[in-house]
């Protein structure tokens, strides 16, 4: 469910016509729907409202400051993976006391920043990281809350680049080493082991891998509790899938109804880290067709957006629906929708049927709210797109289009002779 749809044959974001937005802000343009964001947040929140749960929106999916601010106002916590993300959360008005910090490579500087900011906990991914956090905390004369991220070794049935809970992945602590590590960790006086954590992958459309992983990790917690440890939180990560094409992901309510019973009698607080579930269908990428080009075997639609704005099709062969902004009744034609970048991998869609498209027409790439703008780059010295957020019939520019000056702002011409 989202709030992008046709009204009088014109694609709208909530109550605003996309043609108007493209005219005013130019293309390529990311357009977000406020209502889609808040409704998805509320759906997951209410599905878990009958047990103590903290929803920590995963900042990596879309870290625009307004996006974060909207969620902070909804009471969301945040899942971060870098000092930069922590900076954004604080700047956007997020509460550091609701921040959980994962990632395999936290630097000393980032750990200091996290401790100083008073985050809820660090989700630790290795023994050496645990030692490092303990040392930093000691120097700062603090005791820091940590969770141990356990790699449960389960198959998440998604693209292999975004599977994270298998033995061969770099994430988390091997499940067989976890119990020993917990015992050892007691030696560290400046860390307080408060949580166990997992994140098994992304764009997961079935509940079964979660049930498997949670059941495995639950056994560890039960064992630990017998030794007198006090595990307060179980962070089950993110990964809930969304609809790009014909997927049938579980709804928040279905997910909750299978997950909650697993925690019966456990006296534990739950943490969830949804990213794509909240942001995926909250955004589209609007582009203009620059040229129609007949190739040897293909019809190319060359647009003014490409892999520098949305890399998912190139990187994961990901499918994104493409819609004409203005409905036309022309007959369907087979196209490759591509960008202007000098790479054959620069495409948005291959072999896609669209009603015949003319130069100057606007297209909307759907489900671009997650892992879109955040993975963009300046490749080919292209300026990053503008971003707007729509609420009802109000439009807010939430990131300006980059300028030529922005492109070179950090470069220096060294005086080399
Ligand atoms: N928590 C942790 C520790 C994560 O690593 C991630 C995502 C999430 C939560 C949020 O996952 P989500 O709910 O959004 O699935 N660039 C890829 C996705 C990479 C996901 C990385 N980790 C893509 O475009 O599909």
């Amino acid at each position: 469910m989202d709030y992008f749809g046709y009204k009088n044959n014109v694609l709208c974001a909530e109550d605003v016509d996309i043609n108007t937005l493209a005219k005013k802000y130019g293309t390529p343009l990311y357009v977000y729907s406020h209502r889609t964001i808040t409704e998805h947040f509320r759906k997951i929140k209410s599905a878990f409202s009958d047990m103590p749960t903290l929803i920590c929106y995963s900042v990596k999916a879309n870290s625009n400051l307004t996006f974060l601010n909207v969620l902070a106002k909804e009471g969301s916590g945040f899942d971060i993976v870098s000092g930069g993300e922590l900076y954004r959360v604080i700047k956007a008005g997020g509460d550091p006391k609701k921040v959980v910090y994962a990632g395999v490579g936290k630097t000393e500087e980032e750990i200091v920043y996290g401790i100083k900011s008073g985050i809820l906990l660090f989700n630790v991914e290795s023994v050496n990281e645990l030692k490092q956090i303990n040392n930093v905390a000691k120097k700062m004369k603090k005791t820091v809350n940590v969770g141990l991220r356990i790699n449960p070794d389960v198959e998440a049935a998604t693209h292999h680049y975004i599977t994270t809970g298998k033995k061969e992945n770099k994430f988390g602590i091997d499940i067989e080493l976890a119990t020993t590590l917990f015992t050892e960790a007691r030696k560290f006086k400046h860390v307080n082991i408060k949580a166990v954590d997992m994140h098994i992958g992304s764009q997961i459309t079935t509940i079964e891998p979660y049930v498997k992983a949670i059941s495995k990790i639950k056994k560890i917690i039960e064992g630990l509790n017998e030794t007198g440890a006090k595990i307060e939180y179980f962070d089950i990560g993110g990964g809930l899938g969304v609809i790009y094409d014909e997927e049938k992901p579980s709804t928040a309510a279905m997910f909750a109804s299978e997950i909650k019973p697993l925690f019966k009698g456990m006296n534990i607080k739950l943490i969830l880290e949804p990213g794509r579930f909240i942001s995926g269908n909250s955004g589209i990428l609007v582009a203009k067709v620059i040229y129609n080009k007949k190739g040897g075997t293909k019809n190319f639609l060359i647009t003014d957006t490409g892999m520098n704005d949305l890399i998912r099709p190139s990187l994961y062969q990901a499918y994104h629906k493409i819609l004409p902004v203005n409905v036309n009744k022309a007959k369907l034609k087979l196209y490759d929708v591509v960008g202007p970048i000098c790479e054959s991998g620069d495409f948005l869609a291959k072999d896609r049927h669209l009603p015949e498209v003319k130069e100057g027409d606007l297209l909307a790439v759907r489900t671009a709210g997650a892992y879109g703008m955040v993975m963009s780059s300046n490749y080919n010295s292209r300026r990053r797109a503008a971003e707007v957020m729509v609420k009802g019939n109000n439009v807010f520019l939430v990131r300006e289009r980059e300028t030529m000056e922005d492109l070179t702002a950090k470069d220096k011409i060294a005086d080399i002779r």
Side-chain angles (χ1 to χ4, degrees):
M1 187 60 202
D2 62 63
Y3 294 92
F4 295 95
Y6 288 101
K7 288 181 191 159
N8 302 322
N9 290 333
V10 177
L11 187 67
C12 294
E14 302 197 13
D15 300 328
V16 180
D17 174 343
I18 300 295
N19 293 297
T20 318
L21 293 176
K23 198 176 273 169
K24 177 149 188 209
Y25 299 100
T27 53
L29 179 70
Y30 274 102
V31 181
Y32 305 123
S33 150
H34 180 274
R35 188 165 173 195
T36 313
I37 302 168
T38 51
E39 277 197 9
H40 278 88
F41 177 78
R42 288 173 195 174
K43 268 185 203 167
I44 194 142
K45 190 173 172 191
S46 75
F48 283 91
S49 60
D50 51 355
M51 82 172 271
T53 304
L54 177 64
I55 313 285
C56 290
Y57 166 70
S58 191
V59 173
K60 64 179 78 64
N62 189 321
S63 58
N64 177 276
L65 291 187
T66 300
F67 211 102
L68 301 182
N69 178 255
V70 166
L71 288 165
K73 285 197 260 188
E74 289 287 313
S76 184
F78 296 95
D79 154 56
I80 61 163
V81 284
S82 71
E85 287 191 345
L86 179 53
Y87 178 77
R88 280 182 176 273
V89 167
I90 294 171
K91 200 152 183 175
D95 181 358
K97 290 196 288 302
K98 293 186 189 166
V99 166
V100 295
Y101 189 165
V104 292
K106 303 175 191 80
T107 64
E108 182 173 351
E109 189 191 355
E110 289 177 313
I111 294 167
V112 170
Y113 184 30
I115 297 176
K116 275 197 182 146
S117 308
I119 63 168
L120 177 61
L121 52 90
F122 289 92
N123 277 324
V124 172
E125 307 225 13
S126 66
V127 189
N128 289 359
E129 183 194 331
L130 188 66
K131 282 186 192 149
Q132 172 76 323
I133 294 177
N134 187 61
N135 288 341
V136 175
K138 187 173 176 189
K139 270 196 239 158
M140 294 172 74
K141 300 192 173 54
K142 299 252 184 189
T143 309
V144 176
N145 291 337
V146 299
L148 296 192
R149 175 166 174 183
I150 298 173
N151 183 329
D153 193 29
V154 295
E155 192 67 65
T158 184
H159 191 284
H160 63 283
Y161 275 16
I162 51 178
T163 294
T164 50
K166 290 281 295 162
K167 263 193 190 306
E168 62 266 31
N169 299 133
K170 68 178 174 182
F171 299 100
I173 294 157
D174 189 281
I175 189 150
E176 274 138 44
L177 304 175
T179 314
T180 334
L181 181 62
F182 271 106
T183 324
E184 246 184 77
R186 299 240 181 114
K187 289 191 253 155
F188 300 126
K189 295 292 170 235
H190 293 266
V191 293
N192 203 349
I193 304 197
K194 280 236 174 174
V196 290
D197 170 44
M198 63 179 230
H199 170 76
I200 55 175
S202 200
Q203 184 56 15
I204 303 169
T205 51
T206 57
I207 307 173
E208 193 204 339
Y210 287 95
V211 174
K212 264 196 194 150
I214 292 170
S215 311
K216 277 183 156 186
I217 293 176
K218 232 173 87 171
K219 287 208 187 92
I220 294 182
I221 301 184
E222 281 158 3
L224 285 170
N225 284 344
E226 278 165 24
T227 69
K230 254 191 88 88
I231 301 297
E232 211 177 303
Y233 297 95
F234 193 158
D235 181 341
I236 63 169
L240 293 179
V242 302
I243 302 175
Y244 284 94
D245 184 13
E246 303 284 310
E247 302 90 337
K248 296 210 165 38
S250 59
T251 63
M254 278 153 60
F255 181 71
S257 72
E258 287 200 40
I259 296 300
K260 283 185 294 191
L262 303 174
F263 300 101
K264 254 211 176 97
M266 267 183 88
N267 190 22
I268 208 150
K269 293 179 199 134
L270 206 57
I271 297 177
L272 276 82
E273 303 174 352
R276 189 185 328 251
F277 180 81
I278 292 171
S279 56
N281 276 307
S282 304
I284 60 170
L285 173 60
V286 182
K288 189 183 274 173
V289 175
I290 313 173
Y291 296 114
N292 244 306
K293 175 172 175 175
K294 203 160 172 40
T297 56
K298 298 254 186 181
N299 296 309
F300 294 106
L301 288 177
I302 301 173
T303 71
D304 62 1
T305 191
M307 66 189 286
N308 78 297
D309 293 313
L310 181 69
I311 202 173
R312 303 194 72 258
S314 309
L315 194 56
Y316 314 115
Q317 294 79 47
Y319 178 96
H320 285 258
K321 268 190 193 141
I322 296 186
L323 302 176
V325 167
N326 298 291
V327 171
N328 73 54
K329 302 271 187 302
K331 63 173 185 326
L332 293 181
K333 209 170 155 178
L334 195 63
Y335 292 108
D336 271 16
V337 185
V338 303
I341 288 171
C342 299
E343 301 255 359
S344 294
D346 176 31
F347 63 89
L348 296 163
K350 290 204 160 174
D351 299 321
R352 197 67 66 83
H353 279 107
L354 290 169
E356 194 160 353
V357 179
K358 295 189 299 301
E359 293 176 0
D361 284 357
L362 293 174
L363 298 175
V365 185
R366 280 183 62 87
T367 326
Y371 308 108
M373 186 63 171
V374 285
M375 293 178 80
S376 67
S377 77
N378 291 121
Y379 188 39
N380 280 200
S381 284
R382 288 170 50 78
R383 298 169 292 159
R384 278 190 179 79
E387 296 174 288
V388 295
M389 191 175 291
V390 172
K391 182 179 185 211
N393 53 19
N394 295 309
V395 182
F396 305 88
L397 178 64
V398 298
R399 193 177 204 266
E400 287 174 18
R401 183 175 306 286
E402 289 181 354
T403 62
M404 292 297 189
E405 291 73 30
D406 288 333
L407 282 180
T408 55
K410 297 287 183 194
D411 282 30
K412 307 242 181 289
I413 300 183
D415 189 13
I416 300 170
R417 288 158 206 266

